[in-house]
Each structure stands twice: as C-alpha cells, then as structure tokens.
Amino acid sequence: MEKQEREKAAAVNEELKRLLLRHLEQPAIRPTAIAGLTLVRREAANSSERCFEKPLASILVQGNKNTVIGTHAFSIAAKQCLVSGVDMPSTSYVVDPTPEKPFLALFFYLDRQLITDLAMEMEQDLPPSGEDSLGVAVADAEPDLLEGAVRLVKLLDKPEQIPMRAPMIMRELHYLLLAGPQGGILRRLHTLGTQNNQIVRAISLLRRNVTAAVRMDDLARRVNMSVSSLHRHFKTVTGLSPLQYHKQLRLYEARRLMLTQQENATGAALAVGYESPTQFNREYKRMFGEPPHRDISRRHAQ
C-alpha cells in the first residue's frame, strides 16, 4: 500500500474507532440492527474465545489478536482485515487490551450467494484466482473497505434507513473484498465448477448431517470427486481432514446445545451422534480443555 493510501486508511480507521467507542461504552460482543454485523470491544487480558464461525470478514480497528483457524495461526493488527471463506473452527486470543486502550473490531457474515453472483458479474474484470489455498487470509484493509465499514456503522444512528441502505452497502463491501487482495480466495471457493467450490459443497453436507457418521466414499460421490482428491483439497482449504473437521463440528454443536438449550452432557453427546458418552467426554476435554460440565458452568458464570 502506498504512503498516501496508508495515511488515508489510518484516517478512516480513526473515524471507525470513534464510532465503535461510542456504540460500545462497555466490553461486549454486540450484534446490531444490521443483519450480520457485529461490533466487538474487549478489555480483559489473558482470555481466549473458541467458536465455529460461518464465513465472515473481520476488520480489526484497535489492538492485536492471535487467531488459530483450523490448524493455521494468524496474527492480526489494527487496520487489517481477516477473511474466512468457509465455516471453520477458530480460537482467538486478544493481545494485552486495557480499559484505556480496548481491543476494537467489527465483523460481518459473508453472503455465499451474493459472492457467487458478483464473481460471475465481475469475471471479465478480475485477474485469475490462482491455485488452491487455505480458505482464510489476512491483508491490510484498503481505504475503500474501511470507508464502507464507516458508512455501515453510521447507519446504526439512522435505523429507518437500514432496510434500504444496509443491503446496498453490504453488496459494495462484498464487491470490494472480491476485487481486493483476498478476492482470489473467495472466487475459488464460490465459482461453480472449481474444486474449491466442491469442498464448500462437502462442508455444507457435513454441516447439514452433523449427527451422521462420515463415509468418505459417499461424501466424495456426492460432490463429484475421488476420495483422494476430496481429502487433499479439503485439507488444503480447511487445514483439516474431513474426519477431523466433522469431529470438531460435532463437539461445537454439542457445546451449543448445552449452552443454549440446557442439554446435559449425555443428551448433547447422543444428539450429535456419539454412541459413547465416555468417548464424548474425553474428546470434549481434549478440544476445550475441560470436561463438559465444568466448561459449561464456567461459561454460564461469565
């Protein structure tokens, strides 16, 4: 990014910081009246967050964050944007926030159909999307992307305009992501007929059938790939094998059931397809660091 562009990005980011501080007077992860947009303020040090997120774009406005997505680690700084083009397990750690200088970020979920439609419309104007790669990337947020985020957050002060203007700004933000440094990843994942798009379809099947045992030959057949090709490309895109991905998906879904629907550990284990509660407890502790009951009790107490 050239010096003039960096200076412009810094100025726009300062405006975005002022907006977030005004909307987030206290630490919070706050979904907004704009569908898919969430604002984040953190002040607590030495805390981490684990989740299984849908595809999203996250703009870091102030502070630093270390994130492990799948099996890949990323360090993200202010004025950078993380784009995750597929549903992925992630663990995030905010670096040294304070009440005087809190961590600030926003993220919005990506619309798969909108990306596919835009990629088709923009095909003649875009460079080749390149080879297969991980479905996640971090890059400096370009000034246009930051300005779009500013306009989106400003809409929160004009709720009557949200139904009409928010979809237009969201469409523009998706366009800018596709045209920017992370666009190749999104195009590979959402262009029909590509191997990466077949992996997106495989992930969708796994998510819709979380309780069913994975049969690799059946999954490969349903996305028109060989078993070896499916395994290779799946690991390239997610950093995990299909079986590893499915196991984590089950554990996160069980955790969601215990947190939001008051299921006990045995009920949650059975609901996501485990036949042995003992195996479930062992794998849950390995994933989240604590047995189910202790983990859920701690999270409810937060």
Side-chain angles (χ1 to χ4, degrees), residues 228-244:
S228 61
S229 181
L230 171 65
H231 189 278
R232 183 172 67 256
H233 289 287
F234 198 103
K235 196 155 190 176
T236 297
V237 170
T238 68
L240 302 166
S241 71
L243 293 178
Q244 289 171 325

Side-chain angles (χ1 to χ4, degrees), residues 1 5 8-9 12 59 141-151 172-173 175-176:
M1 193 182 294
E5 289 287 284
K8 182 178 179 182
V12 180
I59 298 174
E142 297 183 325
D144 286 350
L145 184 70
L146 292 170
E147 287 177 340
V150 165
R151 285 187 281 111
E172 179 186 350
L173 290 172
Y175 169 87
L176 291 169

Side-chain angles (χ1 to χ4, degrees), residues 195-216:
Q195 289 174 317
N196 281 22
N197 185 249
Q198 289 170 297
I199 298 305
V200 171
R201 289 167 53 202
I203 287 171
S204 180
L205 288 169
L206 291 175
R207 295 218 66 163
R208 292 203 304 267
N209 298 281
V210 64
T211 63
V214 177
R215 291 187 54 198
M216 286 293 293

